[in-house]
Amino acid sequence: QVQLVESGGGLVQAGGSLRLSCAASTRTFSGYTMAWFRQAPGKEREEREFVATITWSGGTPSYADSAKGRFTISRDNAKNTVTLQMNSLKPEDTAVYYCAAKIRAPAGSIYYRGTSYDYWGQGTQVTVAS
């Protein structure tokens, strides 16, 4: 069983920045594809929106159009962590942000759908005030 714990959420003014972190309790973190999703207010779990993903090697990060140029995903396999640096935040970025992990992902594989991921964290709230 893998546990993912997110941190770093909070309230920020539009144009500000936040850095989300996700810590994984596993010895095989380096083999996982990791991703961030978000669930906007009033949306169901099935409507979680893909934000960013990164392969186990740290290469080939991929972003939703809404995140490109503003968000950066990175990982530290030695510390079992993945981070999401969010800059130039907008009110429409307000959501609960979830960290997700996919195990046994072929090298270089990218996954955009929530159903592709095996483990999820509990989420961290990000609120962007206008």
Side-chain angles (χ1 to χ4, degrees), residues 41-121:
K43 298 290 188 179
E44 299 294 328
R45 178 187 176 113
E46 294 74 21
E47 299 174 279
R48 286 181 185 176
E49 176 189 9
F50 166 78
V51 176
T53 184
I54 189 166
T55 59
W56 64 266
S57 65
T60 324
S62 184
Y63 301 91
D65 287 344
S66 59
K68 287 179 181 176
R70 300 188 300 127
F71 295 2
T72 302
I73 188 171
S74 60
R75 66 188 295 161
D76 186 335
N77 289 338
K79 296 181 179 179
N80 284 11
T81 58
V82 60
T83 62
L84 184 69
Q85 177 67 44
M86 305 188 295
N87 300 326
S88 302
L89 283 163
K90 305 174 182 179
E92 51 263 44
D93 294 318
T94 294
V96 178
Y97 283 70
Y98 294 90
C99 174
K102 178 172 176 60
I103 63 175
R104 293 188 287 273
S109 299
I110 299 293
Y111 303 89
Y112 300 104
R113 300 180 64 175
T115 53
S116 298
Y117 290 83
D118 304 295
Y119 296 101
W120 293 81

Side-chain angles (χ1 to χ4, degrees), residues 4-22:
L4 303 174
V5 179
E6 301 97 334
S7 61
L11 173 64
V12 65
Q13 293 294 317
S17 298
L18 282 174
R19 184 177 179 88
L20 306 184
S21 292
C22 173

